[in-house]
Amino acid sequence: MQTTSKAPSTLMVVLAFATVYIVWGSTYFFIQRALEGFPPFFLGAFRFVIAGLLMLGWSLSQGENVFSWKAMKPAIITGLLLLFVGNGVVIWVEQFLPSAMVAIMISSSPIWFVLLDKPKWSENLGSKSTILGLLIGFAGVVLLFSEKIMATMTSLNSSRDLFAMVLVVIGTMAWAGGSLYSKYNSVSNSATVNSTWQMLAAGVAFIPGSLLSNEWDKLNMAAIPTSAWLATIYLIIFGSIAAFSAYVWLLKVQPATKVSTYAYVNPVVAVLLGIFFAHESITPMQISGLIVILGSVLLINLNKYRKPKQVTATV
């Protein structure tokens, strides 16, 4: 029975990874576009409340057991850690920090996954390929954005941006911790129900920050550019509903360390999208970074591919 529950369709796993890798890789760009029209806390509240309500409607139409406090409680805690703290920090700091720098700092999350995933310490810390892959992956992301970072370091406001960078580290830890909490404490087997309450909890949590910042008083809906509206719609449909639901499902059916590789692949996707759609150029240094990152993902997964029979025999 256990083997059946832990053997999801290979096609579904591949599609879920592709969705998380590609869609979340594009959200750095769309968050900055959305911030050109929406203040940060309002954007978080609007994005996640709308996405959560859409997911709630879908769950009810499918006859899901939505209103179960036993299932709602861990989902709400997860949503506050992942989307309110983790994603909220990204939204806020992208007002000040270059998206390339934010991407580099967020790419440290696979390391936090390993350090915080206590039940898997013996497996992850005992795997040389996993540890080596994590370190090489982070180095690859730094290499990928090294030229952009060197160009922007001189323009940073030391005190404000240092505080923003500290927040990104805290947000990254909260994201990893929330993901692991969801993996081990989620009660509902429905990724849709879990995503619904995670997004609604985060959306409601953003509202007090928006009110305290007087964002509602300054907001002129008629003056918001079309590009900001389109970016926000993209974030709701693809970033929240599609990619986040895929991520929540992957956490249940795949090792957390493997799922965390999105943090290395997302910057790669962001760079490639810039090349193909924004006509940005790619340098030899960036090509080196791309190769190193993809190699690190293979290393992280190497241990998982080598040991399936041993794990089955042990169980």
Side-chain angles (χ1 to χ4, degrees):
M1 280 188 238
Q2 287 181 333
T3 309
T4 308
S5 65
K6 292 188 179 181
S9 160
T10 302
L11 178 61
M12 288 296 293
V13 172
V14 170
L15 288 175
F17 267 111
T19 302
V20 174
Y21 281 174
I22 296 170
V23 174
W24 275 358
S26 65
T27 53
Y28 294 103
F29 171 81
F30 285 103
I31 285 173
Q32 287 197 321
R33 285 290 177 274
L35 287 171
E36 291 174 0
F38 293 95
F41 289 109
F42 181 88
L43 175 62
F46 183 74
R47 172 186 174 182
F48 292 120
V49 166
I50 296 298
L53 289 174
L54 290 173
M55 292 286 283
L56 178 62
W58 173 258
S59 298
L60 290 172
S61 72
Q62 297 301 302
E64 299 269 17
N65 182 18
V66 179
F67 300 102
S68 163
W69 177 245
K70 189 177 180 181
M72 289 167 59
K73 183 181 176 181
I76 289 170
I77 293 172
T78 302
L80 292 175
L81 287 170
L82 263 66
L83 301 176
F84 177 60
V85 180
N87 194 263
V89 162
V90 173
I91 294 172
W92 191 78
V93 301
E94 281 204 25
Q95 298 176 101
F96 316 114
L97 298 180
S99 59
M101 179 172 285
V102 176
I104 285 181
M105 299 188 73
I106 290 175
S107 70
S108 67
S109 63
I111 298 172
W112 290 114
F113 269 86
V114 170
L115 294 177
L116 296 176
D117 194 1
K118 191 175 179 181
K120 293 286 185 179
W121 274 357
S122 58
E123 181 182 330
N124 291 330
L125 297 177
S127 168
K128 291 180 181 178
S129 63
T130 298
I131 299 300
L132 188 62
L134 290 169
L135 296 175
I136 290 176
F138 184 68
V141 176
V142 173
L143 193 64
L144 181 66
F145 290 114
S146 58
E147 293 164 322
K148 288 186 178 181
I149 292 302
M150 293 303 292
T152 57
M153 282 296 284
T154 52
S155 62
L156 292 177
N157 178 307
S158 57
S159 57
R160 181 199 67 192
D161 294 333
L162 179 62
F163 174 68
M165 284 187 262
V166 171
L167 280 182
V168 174
V169 174
I170 294 172
T172 305
M173 292 173 66
W175 181 275
S179 298
L180 292 169
Y181 179 86
S182 174
K183 182 175 183 65
Y184 295 120
N185 295 279
S186 177
V187 174
S188 174
N189 289 321
S190 169
T192 308
V193 172
N194 285 328
S195 298
T196 295
W197 292 114
Q198 287 166 13
M199 287 188 278
L200 286 175
V204 171
F206 275 110
I207 294 174
S210 183
L211 293 173
L212 290 172
S213 303
N214 294 319
E215 290 180 347
W216 295 66
D217 296 335
K218 303 170 189 173
L219 188 64
N220 181 0
M221 300 295 276
I224 295 173
T226 304
S227 60
W229 278 110
L230 292 175
T232 303
I233 292 170
Y234 178 90
L235 291 171
I236 290 171
I237 296 174
F238 295 100
S240 294
I241 294 176
F244 187 70
S245 296
Y247 178 74
V248 170
W249 179 75
L250 280 172
L251 282 173
K252 291 189 73 68
V253 300
Q254 293 287 297
T257 308
K258 186 177 178 181
V259 178
S260 73
T261 56
Y262 80 88
Y264 292 154
V265 181
N266 284 171
V268 175
V269 172
V271 169
L272 292 177
L273 288 174
I275 293 166
F276 290 115
F277 296 103
H279 308 293
E280 295 177 0
S281 58
I282 187 167
T283 66
M285 184 79 79
Q286 288 177 314
I287 293 173
S288 301
L290 292 175
I291 294 170
V292 170
I293 291 167
L294 295 177
S296 77
V297 174
L298 288 175
L299 272 173
I300 291 169
N301 291 320
L302 191 61
N303 194 49
K304 307 294 184 303
Y305 296 140
R306 281 178 172 174
K307 288 189 174 180
K309 291 183 180 178
Q310 293 177 356
V311 174
T312 307
T314 305
V315 175

